[in-house]
Amino acid sequence: MDYTFLQHYWWLLVSLLGAILVFLLFVQGGQSLLFTLGKDEMEQKMLANSTGRKWEFTFTTLVTFGGAFFASFPLFYSTSFGGAYWVWFLILLCFVIQAVSYEYQSKRGNLLGKKTYQIFLLLNGILGPVLLGTAVGTFFNGAEFIVNKAQLTDVGMPVISRWANPLHGLEAALVFWNLFLGLAVFFLSRVLAILYFINNINDETILARCRKRLPIETGLFLVFFLVFLVRLLLQDGFAVDPDTQVISMEPNKYLHNFLDMWYVTVVLLAGVVLVLYGIATSWFAKSRKGIWFAGTGTVLTVLALLLCAGWNNTAYYPSVTDLQSSLTLTNSSSSQFTLNAMFYISFFIVPVLVYIFFAWRALDIHKITKKEMEGNQQTY
């Protein structure tokens, strides 16, 4: 295992965590549909409890995603989380108010009232996916930062990275194509939420509304995703010279990445097919298992896009202020000793995934019904 292998291995793990996180955003998508699919208090309670039993998975994956970045690519962590702190602060704030809302909305004597907490859930359902998608968009469109490793020797200010504008990450939402990806992630989260409700809730009225809403959300998602994908394949990308590590703009770089890495292209196509199949089987065949096909397809699709952003001599976090400050797998990773030690530690992810599987299965063993909501005091 040489240094290059370890860097690519850890980018694979980070990309996988990011892909799983995007799938788990169906929780946020469900919250954004709370008042669209739920027309009375009981229906809204069923929807909130359906996603409420899974919000910890999303939050934990987000934290793990950040932790994996910190351990394997610390320069990205210090540059993005330390420089673009306003956008990350807003993302974390969204998830904090989500946790508070689930725990307190049905508590007797809560100060703000149930409706206020439901509005908090709605805000998290909208802002969470959009902001995360916008942040991921900077992997392809760049961000405004400068890296100067010589600054580390400055005793008074040993800060390697600095942000080039006072907005500290909020400017990413003003970049059209970043926001475009954010909206694609938002509508995907709503599609996945509808598929999850179909699988998880046993109520004919809600099921009918879900199937009626599914083609609308699917159409919006496909418009934003396909336009983003076509533009990605045609745009100039940030290429890294493997010998000199000099970064330059290369026409159709991401298209070249998919052509050079045929296996990543296969993963992308398989993911897209599975997403479409999961949607089609839920809409036309009235299946209740479409979430598993679409969810698996989502993980594969996002995984392929993130691998395209970092592998094949590509700067995964480009700087539009100073091109040579762009972060690559080579110039931003931990030491070989650290990556090698963590390589073995990463195997512990297997029992964790097994635990998640059985915990998920235990939570979903019974479908949510009105009878359960009426007779169970342990509800959100």
Side-chain angles (χ1 to χ4, degrees):
M1 294 185 298
D2 62 11
Y3 200 13
T4 300
F5 168 81
L6 290 170
Q7 290 165 337
H8 283 72
Y9 171 79
W10 275 100
W11 182 255
L12 172 64
L13 284 189
V14 168
S15 298
L16 180 59
L17 286 171
I20 295 173
L21 175 61
V22 173
F23 160 61
L24 291 174
L25 288 178
F26 76 82
V27 174
Q28 277 61 43
Q31 291 164 189
S32 71
L33 291 165
L34 187 61
F35 298 110
T36 302
L37 299 177
K39 300 303 183 182
D40 57 39
E41 185 175 350
M42 177 54 69
E43 291 175 351
Q44 291 167 3
K45 186 174 184 179
M46 295 171 69
L47 295 169
N49 277 268
S50 178
T51 55
R53 296 175 182 180
K54 299 296 186 298
W55 73 264
E56 293 98 334
F57 290 106
T58 310
F59 190 82
T60 303
T61 304
L62 175 63
V63 173
T64 306
F65 174 71
F69 248 131
F70 171 74
S72 54
F73 300 99
L75 188 53
F76 168 82
Y77 190 90
S78 64
T79 300
S80 183
F81 289 81
Y85 52 77
W86 278 121
V87 67
W88 292 112
F89 173 79
L90 288 176
I91 290 172
L92 288 175
L93 178 62
C94 286
F95 280 87
V96 169
I97 65 173
Q98 169 193 246
V100 172
S101 298
Y102 275 122
E103 293 301 324
Y104 286 96
Q105 63 173 321
S106 296
K107 297 281 185 175
R108 292 183 177 180
N110 68 71
L111 297 176
L112 301 178
K114 185 172 184 177
K115 184 64 68 175
T116 301
Y117 287 116
Q118 288 181 330
I119 292 174
F120 285 166
L121 290 179
L122 177 64
L123 290 175
N124 173 253
I126 297 172
L127 293 179
V130 172
L131 289 174
L132 279 171
T134 299
V136 172
T138 60
F139 286 6
F140 302 100
N141 300 310
E144 299 182 29
F145 63 89
I146 298 173
V147 174
N148 181 12
K149 293 186 178 181
Q151 187 72 21
L152 191 61
T153 60
D154 188 336
V155 179
M157 186 69 71
V159 179
I160 296 176
S161 308
R162 64 181 177 87
W163 214 251
N165 67 70
L167 294 178
H168 289 284
L170 293 180
E171 76 283 350
L174 303 178
V175 177
F176 178 80
W177 290 109
N178 289 345
L179 187 58
F180 213 83
L181 180 59
L183 290 173
V185 173
F186 169 66
F187 287 114
L188 173 62
S189 71
R190 287 164 70 94
V191 170
L192 294 175
I194 290 173
L195 296 178
Y196 182 72
F197 288 147
I198 291 174
N199 175 263
N200 186 243
I201 298 177
N202 192 8
D203 182 85
E204 292 302 324
T205 302
I206 291 180
L207 291 180
R209 290 200 193 109
C210 284
R211 290 200 167 95
K212 183 178 180 180
R213 190 75 193 180
L214 182 58
I216 300 174
E217 302 297 336
T218 300
L220 291 170
F221 159 65
L222 289 177
V223 167
F224 283 99
F225 175 72
L226 293 177
V227 172
F228 169 81
L229 183 60
V230 171
R231 190 258 178 178
L232 178 68
L233 298 177
L234 298 178
Q235 76 178 76
D236 295 347
F238 301 83
V240 183
D241 187 302
D243 298 319
T244 65
Q245 294 299 303
V246 172
I247 299 163
S248 60
M249 301 303 297
E250 178 182 320
N252 307 118
K253 170 60 176 170
Y254 300 107
L255 174 60
H256 295 161
N257 283 358
F258 282 117
L259 294 176
D260 294 340
M261 301 185 292
W262 61 267
Y263 41 90
V264 175
T265 304
V266 170
V267 172
L268 175 67
L269 295 177
V272 172
V273 170
L274 283 173
V275 170
L276 295 177
Y277 179 78
I279 294 171
T281 191
S282 298
W283 187 18
F284 296 108
K286 308 300 182 185
S287 171
R288 302 189 66 167
K289 298 181 179 180
I291 180 62
W292 304 119
F293 295 103
T296 303
T298 296
V299 172
L300 293 178
T301 302
V302 177
L303 174 62
L305 290 174
L306 292 177
L307 291 180
C308 179
W311 281 5
N312 200 39
N313 299 312
T314 309
Y316 70 85
Y317 197 49
S319 171
V320 295
T321 302
D322 175 26
L323 195 59
Q324 302 312 313
S325 292
S326 301
L327 302 188
T328 70
L329 300 187
T330 301
N331 67 17
S332 66
S333 69
S334 296
S335 67
Q336 184 173 357
F337 174 81
T338 301
L339 294 182
N340 189 60
M342 293 194 306
F343 173 80
Y344 297 101
I345 296 174
S346 69
F347 293 147
F348 284 101
I349 196 174
V350 176
V352 172
L353 292 176
V354 172
Y355 165 75
I356 291 175
F357 171 79
F358 284 105
W360 187 296
R361 184 180 180 186
L363 290 171
D364 275 2
I365 194 169
H366 299 295
K367 305 297 182 184
I368 290 180
T369 62
K370 288 182 178 179
K371 183 178 180 180
E372 179 191 2
M373 295 296 101
E374 293 170 347
N376 189 353
Q377 298 299 318
Q378 302 298 320
T379 58
Y380 291 112

